[in-house]
């Protein structure tokens, strides 16, 4: 079960890495916000839960999330077979992994630069 | 860490951590070269200076501006007529270039008076132009001329003019990237918020980090306008000075080249709460998704989808003709900064070419993260490559084509590697749906060139083919395709015009003809 | 009716005719075999000059930078030169000559490139490269002085100074070509060979035109050797074709080694080529052979076909390198044309004393203006204000839009030419160059007649 989830997370990570840019803003705090904002909303959309998108920032996250959720579903049909709990588990795993790759495990020395 | 050590650079250990091979199973936590560090002297690096990063890359594409360099004449001459940032006002910005022409006595006694006289004389010479950017150079920085003070003084005396000052001398940073940063911050500090633009749509964006190389900006802005979006300003290709002073009024900043212009987006986000949306203008899928994202943001998804459907129906059959024939072509993707990640995956995914190496002249580690995340396993990623390393890599990788600049392209030519201009394009624009076909076509033309094929023949020892009187590109390329399959497809060669940009100028956009809705 | 010598009155420069000194030193450097120059300054000072060479020659030339960054600009950057020399020598085992070329920034901060060369000669080169022949040559080219023209002149002088060594007479002449194209060197060497004269040519740049070979190994690089430069001290005499591009080296050789110097004339056109051959004859005692009489005759025949009908009274503006501009103006006069505007792109004080300019001032019967420290706006504004009415512009590619936007035909000549194919391989010097110039001028005028439908039918028969 764990292996399967790892494999699924890897597939989603691969998709994001190849087709998205939002995870690569130049500072760690920014990446944290982006990952949180977009992946949370993606999870909400996949689970058909309501999303906040009233502020400009939220609206931007939401836009990325809508596209990502659509692409996930069309690229990985197995997502549509999942229940909400499974999706949440999967998306938590995804966020953890993306945070690791782009923030905590990143080798980018500019991430902690205090200014832009 | 899978560092790649070049034989030619074994003697300079500082270079060891500047190249990696993305091995199977490697990810960004184990595979990332160092980046944006001071250049090692004498390596024959390809980097330029911070002055050119500010003036040449970002400053001069602004079209309705006198671009004046405060320094000796060389900085001006050298950054003039070496790029293809066109504009819809007859290219004023690259036809005319201005220098204060600082001489020895100015170095000794200071050149502020000279600068002031120059500014006034330049405005007098071109009375229809009321905007100016003044660029510091190494020389004026080192003698400590206060350009800001002079600019303020002139603006006080000439109320109808406005002057922007960019203090980015050549030595300010390891590469041109230092200048990108400085001019971004200078513009937002000095100019944004000083002009109230006319708002003609409920949907208002800035298009940022786009330099209108061969018309890229005009192609993209056409899509946005067709959707009903007002593109308030473009930073900076084909951009207008006053429009860029009004950047604060946009609801969204759509960012293309994050390398050169993320700074201003980040600042606008902090200061005005305008969100930043990164997009890719290259490739059918990334471009479609980019337009959809912008559309979704404004609630114009249907409008975006309609454009995508129309454009893809028009151009996909032509793109496919080339893609069928480009499968397996080996590419070194060696641009300056952002195209490293704009193209790394999509040229593989859509054209079928294999990216065997990528490099960046002036990118940061963040650019390499994007590039390495996107490229296929096995690719060699190089930061700040130097001439010998480029040659060694080409000998080892034997690419069919490299995508790079004019001069490195000449190095490749001599090694019998075809080259395509990644910065200024061969026959662009390359952005947009039609542009993507043009890009594929240009790669095809280079790779399947009959003359290129002849270049490998050594008539002194190889057997000379006396039967064939000519070859066509297709005779060479079609050897490896399934001809039956190709015959039943609706694919065709490119049918667009040599100039696909000029006709966009003066086009009417009914959705945008609301007049000024910013008042009342 | 007179010829006036004026100075640009406007401050600053709009569309410069020249770039700055270091570019000239870099152009001289690439003419030498096993030589890679290090430009001590910001990276752009090299990167853009290499691009300029690539634009002109459609080829790559090697030059290095000391990569001056912020810390070095503040605290001094000679250590960057030390490092650059070491890195360059380690990685390019064939390199023997390394000019250290200064720029505005490193001259302002006062980096002592002579001192660092002494230090490296006594330290690094002895310790690490004792088995290699290496010459480090400081060349001072502050960008705020002179222009690329002076930079070239200074560099040629400094190279000669560094190498020239009195030994046995070599029976050769020194030919200092000035800033020319590979095609010019071929044409000049042809004249010398017809005269049976052996020459040391500074610089041997025919090899700038290099092939694309099946093995992919060819590169473009000059081929003047250290031996060549050494032997300049032992020549019968020196002919420097261009007063402002090599004149200083010729004077140095005369003063230091008593090698007689003849400076000019730039052999553009029949008359100047005749004078060039006369100078060689005088210097070597060799006679001018029949083959050159014939070659000259072909050139004159070519001109006779064209001048009265198409060239007479055509008004011309010429800009670019001073010796080139003056030479072309003199030739145009012989061709019955009227050069009305000559633009010299820097503030060299010697222009007003140049005998060729004085001669123009004294003898020209119509209105001609020579502008010193000129820029391309001096040309364009005179056209736009209708102060001059031109039939032809002659100059390099940076002025292309002046021609295009004002509908005046232009013959590309000089450096750089990047908007016409292959011009670097054609000569403008000697009789061969005269033929090429005249025919290209005619073809440019013909194309313009057709494009404007201006008596284009006249070309049906002529």
């Amino acid at each position: 079960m764990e292996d399967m989830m790892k494999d699924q997370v890897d597939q989603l990570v691969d998709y994001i890495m190849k087709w998205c840019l939002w995870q690569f803003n130049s500072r760690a705090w920014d990446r944290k916000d982006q990952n949180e904002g977009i992946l949370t909303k993606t999870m909400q959309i996949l689970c058909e839960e309501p999303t906040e998108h009233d502020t400009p920032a939220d609206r931007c996250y939401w836009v990325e999330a809508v596209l990502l959720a659509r692409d996930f579903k069309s690229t990985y049909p197995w997502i549509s077979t999942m229940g909400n709990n499974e999706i949440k588990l999967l998306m938590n795993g995804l966020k953890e992994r993306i945070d690791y790759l782009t923030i905590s495990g990143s080798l980018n020395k500019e991430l902690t630069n205090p200014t832009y | 860490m899978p560092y790649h050590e070049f034989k030619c650079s074994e003697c300079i250990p500082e270079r060891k951590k500047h190249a990696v091979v993305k091995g199977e199973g490697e990810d960004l936590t184990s595979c990332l070269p160092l980046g944006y560090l001071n250049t090692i002297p004498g390596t024959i690096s390809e980097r330029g200076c911070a002055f050119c990063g500010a003036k040449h890359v970002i400053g001069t594409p602004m079209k309705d501006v006198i671009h004046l360099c405060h320094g000796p004449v060389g900085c001006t001459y050298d950054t003039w007529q070496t790029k293809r940032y066109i504009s819809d006002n007859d290219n004023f910005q690259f036809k005319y270039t201005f220098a204060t022409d600082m001489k020895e006595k100015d170095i000794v006694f200071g050149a502020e008076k000279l600068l002031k006289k120059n500014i006034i004389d330049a405005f007098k010479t071109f009375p229809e132009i009321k905007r100016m950017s003044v660029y510091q150079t190494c020389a004026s920085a080192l003698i400590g001329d206060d350009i800001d003070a002079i600019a303020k003084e002139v603006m006080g005396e000439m109320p109808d003019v406005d002057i922007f000052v960019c203090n980015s001398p050549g030595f300010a940073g390891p590469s041109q990237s230092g200048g990108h940063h400085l001019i971004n911050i200078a513009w937002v500090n000095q100019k944004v918020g000083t002009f109230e633009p006319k708002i003609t749509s409920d949907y208002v964006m800035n298009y940022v980090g786009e330099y209108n190389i061969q018309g890229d900006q005009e192609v993209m802005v056409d899509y946005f306008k067709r959707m009903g979006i007002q593109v308030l300003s473009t930073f900076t290709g084909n951009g207008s000075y006053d429009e860029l002073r009004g950047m604060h009024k946009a609801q969204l900043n759509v960012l293309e080249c994050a390398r050169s212009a993320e700074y201003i987006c980040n600042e606008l986000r902090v200061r005005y709460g305008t969100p930043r949306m990164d997009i890719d203008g290259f490739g059918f899928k990334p471009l479609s998704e980019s337009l959809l994202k912008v559309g979704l943001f404004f609630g114009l998804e249907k409008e975006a989808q309609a454009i995508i459907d129309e454009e893809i129906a028009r151009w996909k059959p032509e793109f496919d003709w080339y893609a069928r024939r480009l499968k397996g072509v080996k590419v070194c993707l060696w641009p300056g900064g952002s195209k490293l990640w704009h193209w790394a995956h999509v040229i593989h995914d859509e054209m079928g070419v294999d990216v065997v190496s990528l490099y960046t002249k002036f990118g940061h580690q963040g650019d390499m993260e994007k590039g390495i995340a996107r490229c296929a396993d096995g690719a060699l990623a190089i930061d700040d490559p130097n001439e010998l390393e480029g040659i060694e890599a080409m000998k080892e990788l034997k690419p069919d084509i490299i995508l790079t600049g004019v001069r490195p392209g000449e190095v490749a030519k001599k090694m019998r590697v075809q080259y395509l201009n990644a910065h200024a394009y061969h026959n662009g624009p390359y952005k947009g749906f039609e542009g993507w076909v043009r890009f594929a076509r240009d790669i095809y033309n280079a790779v399947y060139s009959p003359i290129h094929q002849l270049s490998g023949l050594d008539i002194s020892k190889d057997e000379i083919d006396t039967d064939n009187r000519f070859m066509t590109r297709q005779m060479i390329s079609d050897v490896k395709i399934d001809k039956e399959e190709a015959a039943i497809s609706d694919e065709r060669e490119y049918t667009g015009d040599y100039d696909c940009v000029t006709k966009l100028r003066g086009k009417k956009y009914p959705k945008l003809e609301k007049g000024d809705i910013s008042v009342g | 009716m007179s010829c006036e010598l004026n100075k640009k009155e406007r401050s600053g420069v709009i569309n410069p005719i020249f770039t700055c000194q270091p570019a000239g030193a870099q152009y001289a450097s690439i003419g030498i075999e096993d030589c890679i120059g290090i430009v001590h300054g910001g990276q752009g000072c090299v990167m853009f000059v290499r691009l300029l060479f690539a634009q002109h020659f459609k080829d790559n030339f090697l030059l290095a930078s000391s990569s001056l960054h912020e810390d070095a600009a503040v605290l001094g950057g000679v250590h960057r030169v030390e490092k650059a020399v070491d890195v360059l020598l380690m990685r390019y085992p064939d390199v023997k000559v390394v000019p250290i070329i200064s720029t505005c920034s490193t001259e302002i901060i006062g980096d002592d490139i002579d001192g660092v060369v002494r230090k490296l000669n006594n330290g690094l080169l002895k310790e690490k490269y004792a088995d290699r022949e290496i010459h480090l040559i400081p060349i001072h080219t502050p960008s705020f002085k002179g222009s690329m023209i002076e930079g070239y002149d200074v560099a040629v002088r400094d190279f000669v100074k560094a190498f020239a060594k009195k030994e046995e007479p070599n029976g050769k002449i020194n030919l200092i070509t000035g800033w020319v194209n590979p095609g010019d060197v071929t044409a000049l060497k042809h004249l010398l060979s017809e005269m049976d004269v052996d020459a040391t040519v500074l610089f041997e740049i025919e090899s700038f035109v290099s092939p694309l070979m099946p093995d992919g190994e060819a590169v473009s690089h000059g081929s003047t050797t250290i031996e060549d430069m050494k032997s300049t001290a032992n020549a019968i005499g020196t002919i420097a074709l261009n007063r402002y591009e090599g004149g200083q080296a010729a004077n140095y050789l005369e003063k230091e080694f008593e090698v007689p110097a003849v400076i000019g004339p730039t052999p553009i056109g029949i008359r100047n080529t005749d004078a060039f051959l006369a100078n060689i004859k005088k210097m070597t005692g060799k006679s001018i052979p029949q083959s050159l009489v014939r070659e000259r005759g072909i050139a004159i025949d070519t001109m006779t076909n064209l001048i009265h009908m198409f060239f007479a009274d055509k008004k011309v503006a010429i800009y670019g390198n001073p010796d080139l501009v003056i030479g072309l103006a003199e030739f145009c006069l012989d061709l019955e044309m009227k050069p009305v505007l000559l633009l010299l792109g820097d503030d060299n004080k010697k222009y007003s004393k140049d005998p060729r300019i004085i001669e123009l001032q004294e003898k020209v019967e119509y209105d001609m203006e020579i502008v010193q420290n000129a820029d391309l706006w001096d040309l364009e504004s005179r056209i736009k204000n209708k102060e001059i009415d031109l039939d032809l512009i002659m100059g390099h590619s940076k002025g292309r839009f002046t021609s295009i936007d004002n509908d005046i035909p232009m013959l590309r000549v000089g450096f750089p030419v990047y908007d016409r194919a292959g011009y670097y391989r054609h000569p403008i010097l000697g009789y061969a160059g005269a033929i090429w110039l005249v025919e290209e001028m005619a073809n440019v005028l013909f194309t313009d007649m057709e494009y404007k439908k201006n008596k284009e039918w006249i070309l049906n028969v002529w």
Side-chain angles (χ1 to χ4, degrees), chain A residues 15 30-31 59 70 116, chain B residues 269 285 289 297 301 369:
Chain A
Y15 189 90
D30 205 351
R31 290 185 177 187
R59 196 160 177 85
R70 254 184 229 172
Y116 274 126
Chain B
R269 199 168 48 153
K285 174 173 162 150
E289 299 224 329
F297 182 88
E301 198 188 356
E369 281 185 304

Side-chain angles (χ1 to χ4, degrees), chain C residues 29-35 94 96-97 221-226:
Chain C
S29 300
I30 59 173
I32 298 168
E33 192 174 86
D34 300 327
C35 168
D94 296 329
K96 295 193 180 83
V97 184
H221 208 292
S223 42
T224 294
T225 62
I226 293 171

Side-chain angles (χ1 to χ4, degrees), chain A residues 60, chain B residues 204-208 233 247-248 250-256 264-269 272-279 294 297-298:
Chain A
C60 244
Chain B
V204 185
M205 61 174 262
N206 296 313
Y207 190 26
V208 184
S233 72
M247 286 181 95
H248 59 295
Q251 297 149 354
L252 177 68
N253 289 317
V254 173
L255 176 58
E256 191 83 67
I264 196 162
C265 286
N266 291 341
E267 287 299 320
L268 292 169
R269 199 168 48 153
Y272 300 97
T274 326
R276 153 186 170 178
M277 181 186 284
D278 291 42
I279 66 158
V294 175
F297 182 88
F298 289 116

Side-chain angles (χ1 to χ4, degrees), chain B residues 8-9 14 39 42 48 77-78 80-81 95-97 99 118 121 125 171 174 386-387 407 410 413-414, chain C residues 11-13 15 19 43 48 50 58-60 65 69-70 80 83 91 210 216 377 380 398 405 416 418:
Chain B
C8 63
S9 294
E14 305 96 304
T39 318
Y77 179 99
D78 290 353
W80 173 44
Q81 288 188 20
K95 281 187 182 170
Y96 298 103
T97 193
N118 258 272
D121 279 0
T125 308
F171 53 75
N386 55 60
E387 184 123 339
R407 197 201 43 73
E410 299 298 341
K413 174 185 78 182
K414 282 289 195 277
Chain C
S11 68
V13 166
N15 294 359
T19 186
Q43 291 166 156
F48 281 105
R50 294 183 76 198
K58 293 272 169 260
D59 250 315
N60 174 56
S65 173
H69 301 315
E70 195 125 30
R80 306 284 294 176
K83 176 96 184 176
R91 302 174 81 228
S210 67
W377 184 250
E380 190 162 339
K398 291 269 184 185
D405 287 347
Y418 46 76

Side-chain angles (χ1 to χ4, degrees), chain B residues 231-249:
Chain B
V231 180
L232 193 60
S233 72
T234 302
F235 188 88
T236 56
N238 199 28
S240 155
Y241 186 101
D242 282 348
E243 286 170 9
L244 283 158
R245 292 164 73 193
M247 286 181 95
H248 59 295
K249 284 291 185 190

